Amino acid sequence: MATRTIGSGQVGRSVPRLEGAAKVTGRADYVHNIRLPKMLVGKIFRSTVAHGRIKSLNVSAAKALPGVYRVVTIDDIKTVIPNPFYGPAFHDQPILADGKVHFVGEPVAVVLATDPHIAEEAASLIEVDYEELPAVFDEVEAMTSKAVVHDELKPAGTFPDLKHLKGKKDTNIALDFHLRRGDPNKAFAAADHVFEHTFRSQQVLHVPLEPFVSAAELTETGLTIHTASQSPSFVRIEISRLLGWPENKVRVKVPYLGGGFGAKLYIKLEALVAALTLLVRRPVKISLTMEEQFYTLTKHAATFRIKSAVKNGKITGRDCEVWWNGGAYADIGPRITQKSGFTAPGPYDIDNVSIDSYSLYTNLTPAGALRGFGIPQLVWAYESHTDMMARALRLDPIEFRRNNILRDGRAQATGTQMKDAAVEQVLDRLALRMNWTAPFERGTGPVKKGRGIAVGFKASISPTTSIAIVNVAADGSVTLYCSTVDMGQGSDTANAQFVAEVLNVPAESVKVVHPDTDVTPYDMATLGSRSLYHMGNAVRLAAEDAKAKLSALAREVGVPEGSNVPVAELFQKKYKMQAGNIIGTGSYIPNYVPPDANGLTPEATPFWMVGGTGAEVEVDTETGHVRVTKMISVADVGRPVNPRIVETQLSGAATMQFGFTMQEKIELDGGQITNASFADYKIPSIVDIPRDMQNEAVESEQGTGPFGAKGVGESGTFGVSPAIANAIEDACGVRLTELPLTAEKVYRALREAQGRPLED
Amino acid sequence: MRTINFTLNGEQVSAHVAEHQSIVEILRDRFDLFGARESCAQGLCGCCTVLVDGTAVSGCLYLAAFANGKSITTVEGLATNGKLTPIQEAFLEVGASQCGFCTPGFVLMAGQLLEAHPDPDDDDIRHYLSGNLCRCAAYPEIIAAVKLAAGRLKAGTT
Ligand code: FES
Ligand code: FES
């Protein structure tokens, strides 16, 4: 990827990761490494039924096992946290099951011991008697099902748009978002063609190689939580709410994360370890196993019914109905339903739009954010649909898109004007890199070749705040304090580059202090590709503040404007010794206007992310096997701050979505996950990935971003699934509308097309 | 419980271990070595890779008791006096770590690969590293790093 540096040459340079050496020597700091004096470890006993009332819970055998320190249930938890329910949108999730279980794998009790093997053995001795209740697993069924997951809805007070749901009964709908623009009915009545399709995406999950892990300890001043979390500030605020303590009694520390991808947000194990530590007055650590990640958080399975009106090659109306399978607890699902829901019509210029987006409770593992915050599920549907329309209309899929694309200055479905969103450029570059206008070799014999493209977009989560502190020491060395979590995306390095650019020092010399809520200021969370933009702006402001204060110091000590006196000398002149600091602060919150009753707003997002994918495939029509031979990711990331890291983010995101497209799926049997291990749930390995992977960031600038930059961690995911499905149809004429795109599905579809369907 | 004596990163050590304990547990809890990490605990991801008498094994499945009399090398034992190995250098330069959780396993397996195939092609690399998973999917960079290291090692020895 081309290098485009500016000013001091720090932004736009492929600075090697600041922590690179620690990572290649195995010495990087993770919560995994933490051991505290007199620490107990906890093992969780989990529910075996999808929906049931707990009739009795017998922990006596577990307690009696030698080496067990204590067995804890919700009754114990309530002695330290009387109202033990948490969640970012709804306070619906209990720290341990409270009278009822709502999914298989829900935590019911915890065994504490110094030896994890003993704790595990004891957990297996716990016995529960359930009265099983009717359960619902499918998101569309959950709309009308008699099985109701929660007795009543409990929205958190923080979101005004959820208030009306408080205390609602007999529904599984956690949130319904509606948008109406123009007059879709009229558009459909006047159309030359109307197309309607339904697409489904399956339940998958993050599986960071470092599973969830948290530890807590009591200190003189309160409680310290060491946690692999993407949202230290949220953890602090939510734990202090649960305990009824001031924020400053709760300290949350986060070192590096062994991957996050949206899993490690909000509260996961933190409330549990906090409560356990308060109960036993000893440090407690819980490290989940790989299997337990399947019972903690997944991506939303979704069903999307999309209908379009086309007149003279233009899309004139679009109806979108999306059902999100939120699982047993809302987590951040309601926000996905709305904040991603409003982009459901895609990056197209359509005057008449209606969107109905529903967040549903079901008796499955809770669903939350996963690299794209709902966007990949939407793009999967609208870009498959776009291709199917182009094909039916005998139009070139790129030309059809170009005729309908949402250009800067035009209003998106919400009414918010597009700005700095290089949709057309992404499409152009994709076409060029795919050599679209050249004849394409289709293959001979049973192996057929095809190609496809797709382009999607995403709004940023708004309104959210980031705050940063830049500290210049008396020798001129610089330290940055911020609560952005480096989980592999390279935020430490990028933020150091921003500071370095402003203060004109090498990025490698900037120290970045990791999130520690006693030390680093508030940040909403590291999610949704928001950090480079929001924290980046805060960091830039903090560095500029420090720079202004350094200039003031220079004036104060009589150094003439523009002279090149080293910073250390300024301090020396003022304090007569190596002493003092300059502290710069920066705080950033973008403008935002909440949607009106029709879902419309002039200011829906501070920036747009755009990502497109091109894929070439070979389909073996005798077996249905699909080989993706080429995968091209093109994105608008604004100005690439660190071209090499941008590239790894694009290809990493694309590969993750490639797994969700081709192979990953949580298999269920009556709500029980039957493939909760890497033996059966296969994530992409080095042999699975396409041989030819290319990445490109188009030339662009985000006007409001720090040095023209914006987020990049998710854009590579957007187009992958539909680009491959489009390529498969191009190769062999069959259309799949349900993920993943397995050989079996392709083969079944081929047989169906030949009029010789396979039996189930 | 039994006492085992073994060489750990070149040093003679001993430990009192239970029969069911794996070598990663012992390395982590007794020797403060965190580079080999348990992730899948099933021998499927390679995060826990260590060398036993020079051969890579999944430390999550390798019982500590078996280490008696053997020589164990962990990723922490590769760099000497702060000087990285050519493979580590290459991983660092190319940017072959994102979150870094899988990196020690890949570094150790890449070492095995280059011992057997000093001049590996893409297929050799994929084959040797197929038992190591990277959820961040730094695979293209890992392949590039292995090639870079191979080139440098060859240049160094000829
Ligand atoms: S933890 Fe040993 S192979 Fe995965
Ligand atoms: S770098 Fe994160 S798992 Fe490989």
Side-chain angles (χ1 to χ4, degrees):
Chain A
M1 201 165 284
T3 298
R4 288 191 280 144
T5 55
I6 52 174
S8 322
Q10 300 301 319
V11 165
R13 177 163 75 89
S14 288
V15 176
R17 278 169 198 273
L18 300 186
E19 78 290 2
K23 283 180 174 168
V24 300
T25 54
R27 300 201 186 264
D29 196 14
Y30 303 96
V31 179
H32 167 83
N33 308 11
I34 279 177
R35 219 164 46 225
L36 301 163
K38 298 200 73 195
M39 183 175 91
L40 294 166
V41 295
K43 285 284 171 190
I44 298 173
F45 170 79
R46 294 172 182 277
S47 145
T48 50
V49 302
H51 196 193
R53 240 172 263 292
I54 299 174
K55 289 203 295 194
S56 68
L57 176 57
N58 183 350
V59 299
S60 51
K63 261 187 184 156
L65 191 78
V68 168
Y69 186 83
R70 180 145 180 196
V71 182
V72 176
T73 67
I74 190 68
D75 295 335
D76 305 306
I77 301 279
K78 283 182 179 169
T79 64
V80 287
I81 302 179
N83 191 9
F85 293 88
Y86 62 85
F90 285 67
H91 292 158
D92 58 358
Q93 190 156 4
I95 294 176
L96 291 172
D98 185 21
K100 254 181 96 179
V101 292
H102 299 91
F103 68 100
V104 174
E106 176 159 12
V108 174
V110 178
V111 179
L112 293 173
T114 46
D115 181 336
H117 300 284
I118 291 174
E120 192 171 351
E121 190 185 338
S124 73
L125 300 175
I126 295 174
E127 282 169 17
V128 192
D129 204 10
Y130 297 104
E131 176 201 335
E132 284 200 49
L133 300 169
V136 59
F137 307 114
D138 179 274
E139 62 274 12
V140 180
E141 274 169 33
M143 289 287 293
T144 51
S145 113
K146 289 221 162 51
V148 175
V149 179
H150 289 286
D151 298 338
E152 82 172 73
L153 304 186
K154 295 180 185 169
T158 30
F159 294 115
D161 63 322
L162 298 177
K163 274 199 185 116
H164 63 289
L165 294 167
K166 191 167 165 46
K168 235 179 157 182
K169 289 183 197 247
D170 299 321
T171 179
N172 289 317
I173 303 175
L175 176 82
D176 51 326
F177 168 74
H178 307 283
L179 182 149
R180 296 288 179 269
R181 182 166 192 258
D183 189 343
N185 287 339
K186 224 162 134 188
F188 283 110
D192 301 336
H193 303 272
V194 173
F195 297 94
E196 179 175 340
H197 305 111
T198 299
F199 300 88
R200 298 191 63 142
S201 30
Q202 80 286 30
Q203 192 190 19
V204 295
L205 84 167
H206 319 68
V207 280
L209 291 190
E210 171 201 49
F212 298 89
V213 53
S214 303
E217 59 182 324
L218 289 173
T219 63
E220 285 303 301
T221 51
L223 183 72
T224 299
I225 300 174
H226 309 264
T227 180
S229 170
Q230 297 175 227
S231 51
S233 302
F234 180 90
V235 170
R236 179 198 227 187
I237 290 170
E238 186 73 339
I239 297 294
S240 36
R241 180 187 68 80
L242 285 167
L243 295 174
W245 289 6
E247 274 191 56
N248 66 4
K249 286 182 73 179
V250 179
R251 178 178 194 180
V252 180
K253 295 181 74 173
V254 180
Y256 288 110
L257 258 57
F261 315 114
K264 295 169 177 169
L265 280 166
Y266 313 113
I267 297 294
K268 291 297 168 285
L269 295 168
E270 294 85 356
L272 180 57
V273 291
L276 293 170
T277 295
L278 283 166
L279 266 178
V280 298
R281 320 291 300 174
R282 276 174 71 168
V284 174
K285 181 175 182 181
I286 297 185
S287 316
L288 294 194
T289 62
M290 189 55 75
E291 179 187 353
E292 287 179 293
Q293 300 212 74
F294 288 76
Y295 308 127
T296 305
L297 197 77
T298 70
K299 182 168 171 170
H300 286 77
T303 300
F304 186 168
R305 192 190 61 77
I306 182 167
K307 183 173 158 192
S308 297
V310 180
K311 197 171 172 67
N312 301 327
K314 287 283 288 176
I315 306 168
T316 51
R318 185 162 272 184
D319 251 0
C320 305
E321 263 186 299
V322 195
W323 298 272
W324 305 89
N325 193 328
Y329 297 109
D331 200 81
I332 202 62
R335 291 273 74 89
I336 292 178
T337 302
Q338 184 221 334
K339 302 269 176 194
S340 291
F342 74 69
T343 68
Y348 297 105
D349 198 339
I350 309 172
D351 289 334
N352 306 292
V353 174
S354 91
I355 301 171
D356 300 289
S357 178
Y358 302 93
S359 178
L360 291 145
Y361 282 116
T362 61
N363 294 105
L364 296 177
T365 301
L370 198 174
R371 209 166 197 173
F373 213 70
I375 296 300
Q377 293 98 313
L378 298 173
V379 187
W380 155 240
Y382 65 66
E383 281 300 84
S384 295
H385 177 67
T386 302
D387 233 60
M388 289 162 86
M389 292 194 291
R391 209 164 269 283
L393 298 168
R394 301 184 179 287
L395 296 171
D396 176 77
I398 289 190
E399 271 322 300
F400 180 54
R401 284 177 173 84
R402 214 174 256 136
N403 281 340
N404 286 286
I405 216 116
L406 199 48
R407 292 182 169 80
D408 268 17
R410 297 287 299 166
Q412 189 266 345
T414 51
T416 298
Q417 268 195 16
M418 298 301 288
K419 184 148 184 9
D420 296 341
V423 186
E424 189 166 21
Q425 252 175 294
V426 167
L427 198 59
D428 288 347
R429 292 297 305 165
L430 263 181
L432 208 76
R433 282 208 174 222
M434 293 286 287
N435 215 354
W436 197 262
T437 47
F440 183 71
E441 204 263 305
R442 304 243 146 231
T444 49
V447 177
K448 306 283 185 222
K449 295 184 183 180
R451 56 185 181 162
I453 59 132
V455 52
F457 77 143
K458 179 178 188 283
S460 177
I461 317 303
S462 205
T464 62
T465 300
S466 291
I467 298 173
I469 297 172
V470 167
N471 179 355
V472 183
D475 63 354
S477 64
V478 183
T479 305
L480 168 66
Y481 297 80
C482 75
S483 293
T484 293
V485 175
D486 199 324
M487 49 191 176
Q489 82 281 38
S491 54
D492 282 4
T493 310
N495 283 328
Q497 287 180 258
F498 290 142
V499 173
E501 182 67 40
V502 174
L503 295 177
N504 200 10
V505 296
E508 290 85 343
S509 72
V510 176
K511 171 162 183 180
V512 181
V513 173
H514 277 173
D516 172 350
T517 58
D518 267 12
V519 178
T520 56
Y522 175 88
D523 174 48
M524 184 263 186
T526 306
L527 61 76
S529 306
R530 67 174 288 283
S531 300
L532 194 72
Y533 179 90
H534 293 80
M535 185 57 82
N537 270 319
V539 166
R540 179 186 181 156
L541 291 168
E544 283 170 350
D545 187 33
K547 191 177 178 176
K549 286 173 176 162
L550 282 169
S551 306
L553 174 63
R555 282 194 298 278
E556 188 188 329
V557 297
V559 170
E561 199 76 33
S563 66
N564 239 351
V565 177
V567 170
E569 261 173 54
L570 303 180
F571 282 95
Q572 186 73 34
K573 278 194 191 335
K574 177 165 165 109
Y575 298 104
K576 313 297 176 225
M577 60 189 284
Q578 184 170 344
N581 296 97
I582 291 271
I583 305 284
T585 61
S587 169
Y588 185 76
I589 182 166
N591 293 335
Y592 174 73
V593 180
D596 65 14
N598 284 322
L600 306 181
T601 162
E603 206 117 34
T605 174
F607 65 96
W608 300 96
M609 291 158 252
V610 183
T613 309
E616 288 185 12
V617 303
E618 292 175 3
V619 182
D620 184 336
T621 52
E622 284 175 349
T623 62
H625 184 78
V626 177
R627 207 159 75 91
V628 178
T629 50
K630 184 185 274 188
M631 184 159 75
I632 299 176
S633 307
V634 179
D636 171 11
V637 305
R639 172 189 295 280
V641 175
N642 186 316
R644 184 179 298 140
I645 296 182
V646 165
E647 185 144 7
T648 60
Q649 282 299 297
L650 289 178
S651 69
T655 304
M656 194 165 196
Q657 187 65 29
F658 176 80
F660 299 150
T661 304
M662 303 305 289
Q663 57 197 81
E664 295 178 40
K665 178 179 190 225
I666 293 181
E667 299 288 352
L668 292 163
D669 181 5
Q672 170 78 49
I673 300 176
T674 59
N675 61 341
S677 99
F678 278 168
D680 302 306
Y681 183 95
K682 293 287 188 193
I683 66 171
S685 79
I686 205 164
V687 294
D688 297 318
I689 59 169
R691 290 272 165 157
D692 183 359
M693 296 215 322
Q694 302 172 27
N695 313 291
E696 178 176 327
V698 299
E699 288 277 332
S700 79
E701 292 270 331
Q702 176 63 35
T704 54
F707 302 102
K710 63 180 156 195
V712 51
E714 302 166 307
S715 310
T717 65
F718 301 166
V720 175
S721 307
I724 295 173
N726 294 344
I728 291 173
E729 178 165 14
D730 188 50
C732 65
V734 302
R735 171 58 63 171
L736 301 187
T737 55
E738 200 171 322
L739 291 173
L741 310 175
T742 58
E744 180 183 335
K745 283 202 196 115
V746 174
Y747 188 64
R748 279 184 184 281
L750 283 165
R751 288 285 297 258
E752 179 105 30
Q754 293 159 5
R756 305 185 296 141
L758 285 177
E759 281 171 23
D760 272 331
Chain B
M1 297 290 283
R2 63 174 75 191
T3 302
I4 55 168
N5 298 297
F6 61 106
T7 311
L8 179 55
N9 294 331
E11 238 176 88
Q12 210 43 53
V13 297
S14 68
H16 206 51
V17 305
E19 280 70 11
H20 59 265
Q21 283 185 306
S22 70
I23 191 75
V24 253
E25 269 186 273
I26 299 300
L27 292 171
R28 182 187 67 207
D29 296 344
R30 309 288 171 74
F31 297 99
D32 288 323
L33 293 172
F34 302 109
R37 358 190 121 111
E38 191 166 292
S39 175
C40 73
Q42 287 186 302
L44 298 164
C45 74
C47 284
C48 58
T49 305
V50 297
L51 305 183
V52 178
D53 289 342
T55 303
V57 303
S58 292
C60 66
L61 298 182
Y62 190 87
L63 292 178
F66 293 162
N68 192 34
K70 301 230 159 60
S71 171
I72 308 283
T73 306
T74 71
V75 69
E76 291 94 339
L78 297 179
T80 37
N81 300 326
K83 178 145 178 45
L84 303 182
T85 65
I87 293 173
Q88 288 173 318
E89 281 286 355
F91 268 67
L92 183 61
E93 261 179 64
V94 170
S97 312
Q98 291 190 31
C99 79
F101 211 70
C102 68
T103 308
F106 275 100
V107 166
L108 286 163
M109 269 321 280
Q112 301 271 289
L113 161 66
L114 295 186
E115 269 176 35
H117 302 275
D119 196 7
D121 62 20
D122 270 39
D123 285 325
D124 296 328
I125 297 176
R126 283 169 201 258
H127 176 69
Y128 256 78
L129 301 181
S130 62
N132 291 73
L133 295 174
C134 175
R135 189 48 154 171
C136 302
Y139 298 128
E141 294 78 21
I142 290 168
I143 294 173
V146 170
K147 288 184 177 165
L148 179 65
R152 286 194 184 153
L153 282 165
K154 244 182 31 189
T157 53
T158 49

